[in-house]
Amino acid sequence: MIARSDAVAALRAERFDVVVVGGGITGAGVALDAATRGYSVALVEKADYASGTSSRSSKLVHGGLRYLQNFDLGLVREALLERQLMVRLAPHLVRPLPFVVPAFDGARPDRMMGVGLNLYDAMARGGRRREEGDWEPERHRVIGGDEVVERLPALAGRAPTSGYLFYDCQTDDSRLVLTVLAEAERFGAVCANRMEVTDLLDDGGRTRGVCVRDALSGERFQVRADNVVNATGVWADRLRPEELHDEAEVPRIRPSRGSHVTLARETLPLAAGAIVPAGGGRAIFALPWLGSTLVGTTDDEYDADDLDHVQPAEGDIAYLLGAVNAYFGAALGREHVTGAYAGVRPLISTGDPKKSVDISRKAELYETSSGMITITGGKLTTWRRMAKMAVDRLVEREARTAPCRTHEIPLGQPIDAAELPRVEGVPDEAYERLAGRYGHAAREVLAVAAESGELAQPIVAGGPVDLLAEAVHAARREQAVSVGDALLRRTRVALLAAGTVADPDGATAQRVAVAMAEPLGWDEREARSAAQAFLDEAGSEGIVTAP
């Protein structure tokens, strides 16, 4: 990405066709879609890219097998088609993940689950012409108990007798956002984080841009644009709320908190995903992710005013561990949790108190009297479709001829880990991670690692293989301006080794701050302050859970 200072200068000086408010996956998608159709695009994000909902998901790109029981076939089919497309466009970021649904005590796999998987298979294969390089998952099949244990070693003690095997996909959500933003920038979009929108610009009752405050400098200025797209997700009705809430037919956002925990792989070893019964007809996921195990999610209504720092509730963590212990026959406690996080999803209220939060996953697009277009709701998997909805509305009202192109534009450039240059000091297992996280741009990270032996080392000794060089690269090339940007979103080490990264002595945070000081121009005092700011952020986010 271009330097943030250059992006801010361009926002001040230029007039744009579209300004997108919100730097999560939906806003990034709108910026990419609009830029590839020939619009000049600005994007502003009040905090860091993906710092809201888009870095706090279950990391799945999936159709939503459980939505079949609610007969929400349209949503499932759309998501399955997008899943296939994402594997083709970003094969390094969106990868197939096997799932296993076991049977125990000599029982046959559940017949109704088999019916659902048959429908899932059929919907994944129909309705779209195949393109070269398309991924087509194997049909689900029954596997024996030995293969169940091979794929889910944590179930060995329960001696499963058989199970279903099927496939969905997994991603690193915040890296997907950054990749989409980089592609939008390649097509001319100008993106800047830490730019809070304080109001809309009006001209004769129509929006003509936004007023912003630069959180780093404190300066305020106008970003002029002919159109405004509000893609702020769960914050959508906080931008000009009187306009949104006073107009008929505008749905209300109904926030839902989802909490997750991470565990060391040896604590709960998995080579495939598992759907874990959690009581009350609910289920959670237990997934292998970045060398660890990820467990989640909860789904509870969230009515607190603070949407910027959402912590996993104590009850949520106990609920997740309880479900895992009951299913795997484990005895996991808080001392086994290596990290935790929570996010708030922008579900859409229908006004029907009987309608479950679980099934309100559809996207909503609406245009209010000022001309502002708001896109919210939806899910990570369908981000491209949501962006298309918003830009289609722009094209329609301007009577342009500008078809969507995002179904054919690669997201980043994949590379085989074996093709990456070897750098002294970089652990062997880091190359696969770098290739999956950055694609071809991993070469740039390795060039940073080659600058010094310390930069080639992992941020946490003996922990995840996220390199210190990645923090420097984040500051130089990805608009990271804080230690939290580097540890929570550019890398994910703070979610996988929270106790070490956010230890009160601050040694790891200080080491990262010192590494980032050169590209960000920090002196010694500012580096110490940046390290402490990360510890404060970690506390407000609740990523560390005390036993």
Side-chain angles (χ1 to χ4, degrees):
M1 300 182 71
I2 65 172
R4 182 183 179 278
S5 58
D6 293 339
V8 172
L11 293 176
R12 284 178 173 278
E14 299 177 21
R15 184 180 183 90
F16 300 88
D17 295 327
V18 185
V19 59
V20 181
V21 184
I25 189 60
T26 305
V30 172
L32 175 61
D33 193 315
T36 56
R37 299 201 210 191
Y39 287 95
S40 59
V41 178
L43 179 144
V44 291
E45 159 59 43
K46 73 171 183 176
D48 186 26
Y49 303 122
S51 60
T53 307
S54 294
S55 61
R56 305 162 190 255
S57 75
S58 297
K59 323 304 181 192
L60 291 175
V61 175
H62 64 140
L65 183 62
R66 66 193 176 107
Y67 302 138
L68 290 179
Q69 67 187 16
N70 300 317
F71 301 102
D72 204 342
L73 304 184
L75 178 63
V76 175
R77 181 174 178 275
E78 176 184 88
L80 287 170
L81 294 177
E82 290 300 300
R83 179 191 71 172
Q84 180 192 63
L85 194 58
M86 288 302 103
V87 176
R88 177 162 61 85
L89 298 179
H92 59 301
L93 276 171
V94 181
R95 298 187 175 190
L97 177 70
F99 276 80
V100 175
V101 183
F104 304 95
D105 303 321
R108 296 173 60 86
D110 181 74
R111 181 172 296 180
M112 288 307 298
M113 173 62 76
V115 172
L117 288 172
N118 274 324
L119 182 56
Y120 207 57
D121 289 340
M123 295 174 75
R125 285 167 167 74
R128 183 174 172 274
R129 182 170 61 85
R130 291 287 179 267
E131 302 285 347
E132 183 179 352
D134 273 354
W135 171 68
E136 184 169 302
E138 299 176 21
R139 294 186 64 86
H140 83 279
R141 61 185 174 90
V142 176
I143 59 177
D146 289 345
E147 187 173 350
V148 172
V149 172
E150 179 183 342
R151 293 179 180 273
L152 302 178
L155 275 178
R158 291 196 61 191
T161 51
S162 62
Y164 288 119
L165 173 68
F166 71 99
Y167 288 84
D168 257 315
C169 292
Q170 189 176 53
T171 191
D172 182 332
D173 47 9
S174 65
R175 294 306 315 183
L176 181 62
V177 173
L178 290 163
T179 301
V180 175
L181 285 168
E183 289 301 322
E185 186 179 89
R186 189 167 67 87
F187 282 91
V190 177
C191 308
N193 57 4
R194 299 305 196 287
M195 303 294 293
E196 181 181 7
V197 172
T198 58
D199 202 355
L200 303 181
L201 289 176
D202 286 324
D203 182 4
R206 302 291 288 180
T207 57
R208 289 295 180 259
V210 294
C211 302
V212 298
R213 184 184 71 86
D214 186 335
L216 299 190
S217 68
E219 294 180 289
R220 297 173 184 266
F221 62 93
Q222 298 176 348
V223 180
R224 294 163 297 163
D226 296 331
N227 302 283
V228 176
V229 177
N230 175 5
T232 55
V234 76
W235 292 267
D237 56 3
R238 297 191 175 189
L239 183 60
R240 195 67 72 85
E242 68 281 1
E243 177 181 312
L244 295 179
H245 291 164
D246 290 348
E247 297 186 15
E249 304 300 327
V250 174
R252 297 284 178 141
I253 294 173
R254 184 179 175 183
S256 169
R257 177 172 58 193
S259 298
H260 298 77
V261 297
T262 62
L263 306 163
R265 173 177 283 177
E266 57 270 22
T267 302
L268 192 74
L270 302 174
I275 301 173
V276 178
R282 291 291 316 280
I284 61 173
F285 294 112
L287 310 165
W289 187 61
L290 299 181
S292 295
T293 297
L294 175 67
V295 177
T297 178
T298 59
D299 204 345
D300 306 309
E301 287 194 50
Y302 184 78
D303 56 8
D305 290 333
D306 184 9
L307 297 176
D308 295 331
H309 300 290
V310 181
Q311 296 192 7
E314 293 292 326
D316 285 354
I317 294 173
Y319 169 83
L320 295 172
L321 293 176
V324 166
N325 286 336
Y327 187 67
F328 290 100
L332 302 177
R334 294 292 294 275
E335 69 275 13
H336 296 105
V337 174
T338 57
Y341 65 92
V344 183
R345 292 181 288 268
L347 308 186
I348 304 301
S349 172
T350 63
D352 181 356
K354 297 180 180 179
K355 187 167 185 180
S356 166
V357 170
D358 280 334
I359 60 176
S360 304
R361 289 293 188 270
K362 292 182 179 178
E364 287 281 352
L365 181 140
Y366 46 96
E367 180 178 350
T368 43
S369 57
S370 70
M372 179 175 67
I373 293 172
T374 297
I375 179 72
T376 190
K379 49 188 278 188
L380 176 67
T381 305
T382 55
W383 67 269
R384 194 196 66 85
R385 288 287 186 101
M386 293 174 65
K388 181 178 182 299
M389 287 172 60
V391 182
D392 280 349
R393 177 64 64 87
L394 287 177
V395 169
E396 177 184 346
R397 76 184 189 186
E398 294 182 359
R400 287 198 183 198
T401 302
C404 178
R405 297 180 54 203
T406 53
H407 61 283
E408 61 187 17
I409 294 172
L411 302 174
Q413 184 180 354
I415 192 170
D416 191 299
E419 298 177 27
L420 292 174
R422 267 39 191 175
V423 174
E424 184 178 356
V426 173
D428 290 341
E429 59 270 27
Y431 293 96
E432 191 68 39
R433 179 76 54 83
L434 291 169
R437 180 170 286 165
Y438 301 96
H440 197 271
R443 291 177 175 272
E444 298 174 7
V445 178
L446 288 168
V448 176
E451 294 176 12
S452 76
E454 184 178 13
L455 293 177
Q457 297 298 310
I459 293 168
V460 175
V465 292
D466 306 68
L467 304 180
L468 188 59
E470 295 182 71
V472 177
H473 177 266
R476 291 179 183 174
R477 301 297 298 271
E478 295 184 332
Q479 294 190 9
V481 296
S482 75
V483 174
D485 292 350
L487 297 184
L488 284 166
R489 291 168 289 277
R490 304 310 188 281
T491 72
R492 313 315 300 272
V493 67
L495 303 182
L496 303 176
T500 301
V501 170
D503 188 281
D505 71 7
T508 300
Q510 181 64 29
R511 179 169 172 249
V512 173
V514 169
M516 297 177 72
E518 181 271 326
L520 293 177
W522 293 338
D523 59 23
E524 186 176 341
R525 180 189 60 81
E526 288 169 324
R528 285 197 304 270
S529 177
Q532 183 58 51
F534 168 71
L535 298 180
D536 295 341
E537 181 179 5
S540 66
E541 297 289 345
I543 67 169
V544 180
T545 63

